[in-house]
Amino acid sequence: MLQLRKISGVLAGLLMACSAHAGKLSIVIDDFGYRPTQENQVLQMPATISVAVLPNAPHAREMATKAHQRGHEVLIHLPMAPLSKQPLEKDTLRPDMSSAEIERIIREAVADVPYAVGLNNHMGSAMTSSLSGMQKVMQVLNHYNFYFLDSMTIGNSQSTRAADGTSVRVIKRRVFLDDTQNEADIRKQFTRAVRLAQRDGSAIAIGHPHPTTVRVLQQMLPTLPADITLVRPSQLLNEPQSSNHRPLPAEKPLPAAKPRNPFRGVKSCPVTLQPVPATRALGVVAESIGDSAGMRYIQTNFSGLKLSIGSQP
């Protein structure tokens, strides 16, 4: 019985160690407010999946309210000017706008998207790369206690610099799930987001309510590795924003072809199984745990805990 208690204590310690080092993955689905059918499917997913709502979309208020009622975190998906020429949403922020105009647009967006706690940019390569433009945005957000999720539509975004001197905290997207709507590509990007979270401790992935994206999420979310925890973006505000450029570890290779059995055709020898006493079985398990990498980790990092594995009382 004492050995059982010791083994239980070791297993609990291993679980705590693994939990403390779990990777955190946040998934945000942009462009909410236009596709109620697919968006309702997203809202059936775990509540830790967050949604970003376009303020001028026809179903903006309805979907923001429904998302909040089902426990999802809501962001305002605010249109910002891109460098490329393309059709723009109403009230798209531009770097040359006055502070008063930017304040009006954000104020109306807050009214159109109830329950929002953060804001991220829709497009925005021109706006987010403008320090002066983003400073005006951050000064307005400072009055709303919002965080800013930078969609990183351009590499030299000025959002972090612009937030200096304000209380606005900035977090950044690491992966776009669906630059293409090819299912295999989306799966690949989902896997990349998971591996980034495992390597760096956290990662944010952004997707859209396309049918293919919804289908991939429905299939892959239940298969997340045990060391990955789904979190809301606001749960990453105190996490370091990794600038780790190390390559991701190579993916595990497919199992090699089964080797030929050199004993094929050899008559097997009869084996008589002998029962093993329960105390001996527990001792073997305890010895195995004591020699494991997880146990060595606990002994190194939790030296204050006095655990005696396999010793006599």
Side-chain angles (χ1 to χ4, degrees):
M1 183 60 69
L2 180 59
Q3 284 183 320
L4 280 174
R5 286 199 297 269
K6 291 175 181 177
I7 292 171
S8 298
V10 171
L11 292 176
L14 286 170
L15 288 173
M16 287 191 296
C18 292
S19 175
H21 292 78
K24 299 174 184 177
L25 177 62
S26 179
I27 297 175
V28 179
I29 305 300
D30 279 354
D31 292 356
F32 251 57
Y34 279 107
R35 306 176 183 90
T37 299
Q38 283 76 39
E39 291 161 16
N40 280 315
Q41 290 178 299
V42 172
L43 297 185
Q44 297 297 323
M45 296 178 190
T48 39
I49 302 294
S50 302
V51 304
V53 182
L54 285 159
N56 290 304
H59 303 282
R61 177 174 291 275
E62 170 196 349
M63 297 313 298
T65 301
K66 188 176 292 187
H68 172 75
Q69 290 172 342
R70 296 185 181 180
H72 300 268
E73 190 158 285
V74 177
L75 296 86
I76 296 171
H77 193 41
L78 196 64
M80 297 189 184
L83 290 169
S84 58
K85 292 183 178 179
Q86 53 186 296
L88 302 178
E89 293 270 338
K90 177 187 174 184
D91 286 336
T92 296
L93 296 188
R94 303 187 314 274
D96 59 352
M97 281 181 168
S98 67
S99 294
E101 184 72 353
I102 289 175
E103 192 280 329
R104 176 193 66 79
I105 291 173
I106 292 178
R107 183 179 69 249
E108 292 179 359
V110 171
D112 291 334
V113 184
Y115 307 109
V117 297
L119 182 148
N120 73 331
N121 53 296
H122 173 65
M123 300 189 290
S125 52
M127 185 66 183
T128 57
S129 59
S130 166
L131 179 59
S132 61
M134 289 306 294
Q135 284 173 331
K136 288 179 274 192
V137 171
M138 296 301 178
Q139 287 162 8
V140 175
L141 293 184
N142 196 40
H143 298 293
Y144 287 96
N145 196 30
F146 280 178
Y147 65 83
F148 182 74
L149 167 57
D150 194 332
S151 300
M152 293 301 295
T153 54
I154 193 167
N156 68 331
S157 172
Q158 300 297 306
S159 60
T160 301
R161 288 182 62 197
D164 287 345
T166 73
S167 62
V168 180
R169 287 185 283 181
V170 177
I171 49 179
K172 297 181 179 182
R173 184 272 315 166
R174 299 292 301 282
V175 174
F176 274 127
L177 293 175
D178 47 13
D179 277 336
T180 76
Q181 294 182 40
N182 177 278
E183 192 166 319
D185 291 341
I186 298 171
R187 288 177 176 276
K188 184 176 180 180
Q189 289 300 97
F190 184 94
T191 300
R192 180 169 176 266
V194 168
R195 293 169 66 207
L196 281 168
Q198 289 171 324
R199 186 192 71 180
D200 299 336
S202 66
I204 299 174
I206 289 179
H208 302 82
H210 304 308
T212 47
T213 305
V214 171
R215 185 160 55 250
V216 168
L217 289 175
Q218 288 171 332
Q219 294 167 354
M220 297 194 75
L221 285 173
T223 68
L224 279 172
D227 63 345
I228 290 294
T229 302
L230 276 178
V231 299
R232 298 171 174 84
S234 61
Q235 293 174 268
L236 299 179
L237 294 176
N238 295 320
E239 295 288 320
Q241 295 301 294
S242 174
S243 57
N244 191 340
H245 298 294
R246 291 184 294 108
L248 289 170
E251 293 189 50
K252 293 181 180 179
L254 293 173
K258 189 174 182 180
R260 183 183 65 85
N261 183 358
F263 299 103
R264 185 178 180 184
V266 178
K267 184 178 291 186
S268 60
C269 300
V271 177
T272 302
L273 297 177
Q274 296 292 335
V276 178
T279 54
R280 176 55 186 155
L282 289 173
V284 171
V285 173
E287 290 168 10
S288 176
I289 293 175
D291 290 337
S292 69
M295 192 60 220
R296 289 195 296 273
Y297 175 88
I298 291 176
Q299 290 170 337
T300 301
N301 295 276
F302 300 93
S303 56
L305 297 176
K306 295 182 179 179
L307 293 173
S308 176
I309 304 301
S311 63
Q312 296 299 318

